[in-house]
């Protein structure tokens, strides 16, 4: 085997977004495109020679080919050892755990998460650092800078490695270990949750659950956890076989894209509990019988009940949420007397807070929840957390959430997405709003008075780094909020996200339909944002 140095030219579009570099498969298949980005990562990281890396992906189309290329580039760049999941498939939370447990230098995660897969679908690459979390902006900026000047990459010539089953290989001087990624993940969950109580619940004959893996990465983990380890009946896990195109579906666990599960949970003889996860297994959706738990409420409920879970029984130090996530968790934090942090969108911003012990639980409105056990959000962890709470409290999902609202008030919450709209008018809209918010404070719109308005800027409380332009937020004196952001994960045109939140302390009003409760704010978001005109759309594509 010989190391080849291949001449290449930079691509101008390799800037990582909210969660790594995401492009359509045909873009990644251009000659040198993948190679350039991987070499740029290795050029950027100091001291990577001889180190251990973890590599794996969500199993989508192009995963297999990409992993073989990455292994050969790693071998040619002096990496010491690579741990790779069987078939090259590892969930994002499992990779984060493996990096930490094996004291690896970092990891390469191949995923476009909730974006559709297949030959015309999306692919993605993300670099994770030693703490197991997504690289912070100073590193992704440096990688991007490198992609703009790269002139060659190193690659080992040789045959592909067999990833079908656990075994060990040598690739040049580099060790490659193909590992079972499921067992360590199950062990990690056993350390956090009360498996005896969850098992008792799942085998009681009085409780039925459904887990929809949407033909994405969590299938093997869900079978191992729920059907094998915890004794739930066969058939508990739906769509549990990972497919390269996710069965043609959109592996995004929300009310729109996980509609089969929603129909089951809202149908006749519905199970007591339903959950779904996304393409790479870091997102979760939680449903009760005829009941949907918003991710923002889920974070608040987990925070309020964390003491019921063995892994958090001694209390939590703090909670962190992304800026567009509702303030439901803030109310719990205030009552518990713990800190609550508001970060920009994207899990990379939680890393420092978790490392510093400032936050124990973190969450995003986009169906992401996680804790200090790893440095990624974790879909199945959230499902087990809910099961643990259900097993201890003996109440239904709906009862738990309703009594939570009674105690803390309800934050009505919804996100309206306008997917794949024209880029320029969307950018113009954001630019207009950036100017508008400068003197919005104190203005009255009907019953609403603006308490603050800005383009969100975040100063990391640990390292002082500043991240600007993280979304337009308009807060009103009654606790309502409207937020406008452009997605950093989409691959076509622009995706506008409008986040709407209002606070209702009066329990007699907690039954109102969310979209109705938010209607005045929805109208105001249109009035201020001129959404229809800017997007050319009458309706959002997805309402969650
Ligand atoms: C979206 C979500 C964000 C999440 C990110 C990655 O980003 O809004 O909360 O962290 O996806 O999630 P954006 O920029 O499109 O709004 V995942 O499951 O794709 O790793
Ligand atoms: Co994901």
């Amino acid at each position: 085997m010989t190391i080849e140095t291949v001449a290449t030219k930079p691509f101008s579009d390799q800037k990582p977004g909210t969660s790594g570099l995401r492009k359509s498969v045909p873009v990644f298949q251009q000659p040198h495109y993948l190679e350039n980005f991987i070499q740029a990562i290795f050029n950027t990281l100091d001291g990577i020679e001889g180190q251990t890396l973890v590599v794996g992906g969500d199993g989508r189309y192009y995963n297999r080919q990409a992993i073989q290329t990455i292994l050969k580039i790693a071998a040619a760049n002096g990496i010491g050892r690579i741990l790779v999941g069987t078939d090259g498939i590892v969930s994002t939370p499992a990779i984060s755990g493996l990096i930490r447990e094996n004291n690896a230098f970092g990891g390469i995660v191949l995923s476009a998460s909730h974006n559709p897969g297949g030959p015309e679908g999306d692919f993605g690459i993300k670099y994770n650092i030693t703490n197991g979390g997504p690289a912070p902006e100073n590193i992704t900026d440096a990688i991007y800078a490198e992609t703009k000047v790269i002139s060659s990459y190193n690659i080992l010539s040789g045959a592909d490695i067999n990833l079908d089953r656990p075994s060990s290989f040598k690739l040049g001087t580099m060790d490659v270990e193909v590992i079972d990624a499921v067992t360590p993940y199950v062990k990690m969950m056993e350390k956090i949750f009360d498996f005896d109580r969850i098992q008792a619940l799942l085998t009681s004959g009085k409780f039925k659950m459904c887990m929809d893996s949407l033909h994405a990465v969590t299938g093997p983990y869900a079978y191992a956890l729920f059907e094998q380890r915890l004794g739930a009946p066969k058939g508990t896990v739906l769509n549990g076989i990972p497919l390269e195109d996710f069965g043609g579906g959109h592996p995004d666990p929300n009310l729109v894209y996980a509609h089969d599960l929603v129909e089951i949970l809202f149908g006749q003889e519905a199970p007591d509990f339903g959950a779904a996860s996304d393409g790479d297994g870091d997102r979760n959706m939680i449903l009760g019988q005829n009941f949907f738990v918003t991710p923002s409420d889920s974070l608040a409920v987990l925070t309020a009940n964390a003491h019921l879970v063995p892994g958090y029984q001694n209390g939590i130090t703090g909670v962190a949420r992304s800026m567009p996530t509702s303030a439901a968790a803030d109310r719990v934090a205030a009552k518990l007397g713990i800190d609550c942090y508001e970060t920009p969108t994207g899990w990379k911003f939680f890393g420092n807070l978790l490392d510093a012990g400032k936050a124990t639980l973190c969450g995003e409105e986009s169906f992401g929840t996680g804790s200090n056990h790893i440095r990624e959000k974790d879909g199945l962890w959230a499902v087990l957390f809910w099961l643990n709470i259900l097993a201890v409290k003996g109440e239904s999902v709906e009862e738990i959430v309703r009594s939570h609202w009674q105690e803390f008030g309800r934050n009505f919450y919804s996100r309206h997405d306008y997917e794949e709209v024209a880029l320029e008018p969307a950018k113009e809209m954001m630019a207009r709003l950036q100017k508008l918010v400068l003197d919005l404070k104190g203005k009255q719109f009907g019953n609403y008075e603006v308490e603050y308005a800005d383009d969100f800027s975040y100063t990391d409380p640990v390292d002082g780094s500043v991240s600007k332009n993280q979304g337009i937020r308009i807060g009103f004196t009654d606790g309502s909020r409207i937020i406008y952001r452009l997605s950093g994960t989409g691959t076509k045109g622009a995706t506008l996200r409008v986040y709407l939140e209002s606070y209702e302390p009066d329990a007699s009003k907690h039954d109102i339909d969310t979209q109705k409760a938010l209607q005045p704010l929805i109208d105001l978001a249109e009035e201020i944002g001129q959404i229809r005109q800017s997007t050319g759309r009458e309706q959002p594509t997805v309402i969650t």
Side-chain angles (χ1 to χ4, degrees):
M1 281 188 258
T2 53
I3 295 175
E4 282 177 50
T5 299
V6 181
T8 186
K9 289 204 181 90
F11 291 89
S12 59
D13 65 345
Q14 296 194 319
K15 185 173 170 52
T18 312
S19 185
L21 179 70
R22 287 194 196 168
K23 299 284 172 195
S24 70
V25 168
V27 169
F28 266 105
Q29 285 172 326
Q30 296 172 83
H32 311 314
Y33 194 89
L34 169 73
E35 291 85 345
N36 276 17
F37 193 71
I38 298 296
Q39 184 67 53
I41 294 177
F42 292 149
N43 289 353
T44 306
L45 300 171
D46 275 339
I48 195 161
E49 292 77 22
Q51 299 281 357
T52 299
L53 289 180
V54 182
V55 178
D58 61 13
R60 67 179 58 224
Y61 185 83
Y62 204 52
N63 196 68
R64 273 182 171 264
Q65 297 92 310
I67 284 194
Q68 296 291 349
T69 303
I70 291 168
L71 291 177
K72 288 171 195 168
I73 297 177
N77 278 276
I79 307 304
R81 171 172 165 247
I82 293 238
L83 303 180
V84 54
T86 310
D87 287 326
I89 304 182
V90 188
S91 78
T92 294
I95 294 186
S96 187
L98 288 169
I99 294 170
R100 296 168 67 79
E101 277 164 28
N102 293 283
N103 297 316
F105 189 84
I108 296 177
V109 185
L110 306 179
S111 172
S113 187
H114 54 288
N115 299 20
E120 300 302 320
D122 286 341
F123 192 72
I125 298 186
K126 182 166 73 165
Y127 179 71
N128 281 24
I129 57 174
T130 309
N131 73 0
E137 278 184 333
N138 63 334
I139 296 182
T140 55
D141 287 349
I143 293 171
Y144 176 48
E146 187 63 28
T147 65
K148 291 196 280 191
V149 297
I150 194 162
S151 58
S152 69
Y153 59 85
N154 301 327
I155 188 161
L156 201 79
S157 62
D160 284 357
I161 274 187
N162 183 352
L163 301 175
D164 292 352
R165 65 191 71 87
S167 56
S168 303
F169 299 92
K170 259 307 196 210
L171 205 56
T173 55
M174 184 177 83
D175 292 312
V176 180
E177 287 172 35
V178 184
I179 57 164
D180 159 21
V182 175
T183 308
Y185 182 81
V186 172
K187 287 207 178 115
M188 180 165 69
M189 294 299 113
E190 276 175 336
K191 283 195 207 130
I192 301 174
F193 299 107
D194 190 338
F195 270 40
D196 290 343
R197 284 188 98 146
I198 299 175
Q199 180 162 25
L201 177 73
L202 293 180
T203 54
S204 64
K206 293 186 197 128
F207 182 93
K208 192 166 175 246
M209 78 168 273
C210 246
M211 170 72 215
D212 192 344
S213 288
L214 296 173
H215 283 305
V217 77
T218 60
Y221 301 80
Y223 283 128
L225 277 167
F226 303 119
E227 297 190 10
Q228 286 152 28
R229 177 63 182 78
L230 291 164
K234 279 209 163 30
T236 296
V237 178
L238 307 174
N239 303 315
I241 305 204
L243 299 175
E244 285 197 329
D245 67 347
F246 310 116
H250 205 129
D252 198 353
N254 61 40
L255 293 173
V256 176
Y257 295 126
H259 50 85
D260 290 354
L261 180 74
V262 174
E263 269 172 35
I264 295 173
L265 269 292
F266 283 80
Q268 293 199 329
E269 290 174 47
D272 304 279
F273 181 72
S277 51
D278 72 332
D280 61 331
D282 55 359
R283 295 187 179 203
N284 73 91
M285 175 169 70
I286 301 295
L287 300 170
Q289 200 174 65
N290 288 297
F291 198 81
F292 165 63
V293 186
T294 71
S296 295
D297 277 348
S298 182
L299 175 65
V301 170
L302 301 191
T303 305
N305 292 286
H307 59 282
L308 302 178
V309 170
Y312 313 100
Q313 64 187 357
N314 297 327
I316 55 177
T317 58
V319 59
R321 62 162 175 85
S322 66
M323 181 274 280
T325 304
S326 96
D330 304 36
R331 295 180 184 276
V332 180
K335 194 157 190 176
L336 293 177
I338 57 173
D339 288 332
C340 182
Y341 297 88
E342 184 176 43
T343 61
T345 293
W347 211 262
K348 56 181 179 255
F349 294 103
F350 293 135
N352 278 348
L353 297 172
L354 292 165
D355 284 351
K358 289 181 178 292
T360 308
L361 301 183
C362 305
E364 293 192 283
E365 49 63 44
S366 55
F367 298 82
T369 348
S371 89
N372 60 355
H373 67 293
I374 51 171
R375 295 294 179 272
E376 289 275 6
K377 53 192 186 268
D378 191 342
L380 292 172
W381 167 91
V383 177
L384 289 164
F385 204 134
W386 267 94
L387 285 171
N388 199 144
I389 294 174
L390 291 166
V392 174
K393 289 188 97 112
E395 294 169 18
S396 73
V397 172
E398 179 167 354
E399 283 165 346
I400 289 172
V401 176
R402 283 192 185 281
S403 57
H404 185 94
W405 291 340
Q406 280 219 315
E407 187 176 350
F408 297 97
R410 176 171 182 188
N411 291 68
F412 282 101
Y413 188 84
S414 184
R415 184 174 104 182
H416 290 195
D417 291 331
Y418 299 79
E419 294 182 336
E420 298 180 13
V421 299
L423 186 59
E424 284 312 315
K427 278 192 183 162
E428 280 162 24
M429 172 182 165
M430 293 303 287
R432 183 164 42 75
L433 286 170
Q434 278 168 342
K435 285 205 196 108
L436 192 79
V437 289
L438 296 175
D439 54 7
L440 220 49
K441 192 173 169 185
K443 281 227 166 109
Q444 195 80 28
F445 293 92
N447 294 330
Y448 295 100
E449 186 190 333
V450 177
E451 189 172 78
Y452 62 87
D454 60 10
D455 189 349
F456 183 55
S457 170
Y458 177 65
T459 304
D460 186 298
V462 180
D463 65 15
S465 60
V466 178
S467 303
K468 291 186 181 156
N469 307 119
Q470 297 296 323
I472 300 294
R473 42 172 206 172
I474 306 174
F476 302 93
T477 49
D478 67 350
S480 304
R481 295 193 306 162
I482 299 174
I483 291 145
Y484 306 84
R485 256 189 88 243
L486 292 185
S487 155
T489 59
T491 57
K492 290 188 201 90
T495 289
L496 170 70
R497 306 200 194 285
V498 182
Y499 309 80
L500 306 140
E501 171 180 9
S502 71
Y503 178 65
E504 180 54 77
D506 179 355
S508 73
K509 295 187 185 146
H510 287 168
D511 275 339
I512 305 173
D513 172 75
T514 300
Q515 299 305 314
K516 278 211 188 98
L518 293 171
Q519 194 60 52
L521 275 181
I522 296 171
D523 295 341
L524 190 51
E526 168 61 32
E527 184 187 329
I528 296 176
Q530 302 289 303
I531 302 167
R532 272 188 223 129
Q533 201 200 324
S534 306
T535 60
R537 298 272 174 83
E538 285 302 309
Q539 305 279 343
T541 328
V542 177
I543 296 180
T544 46

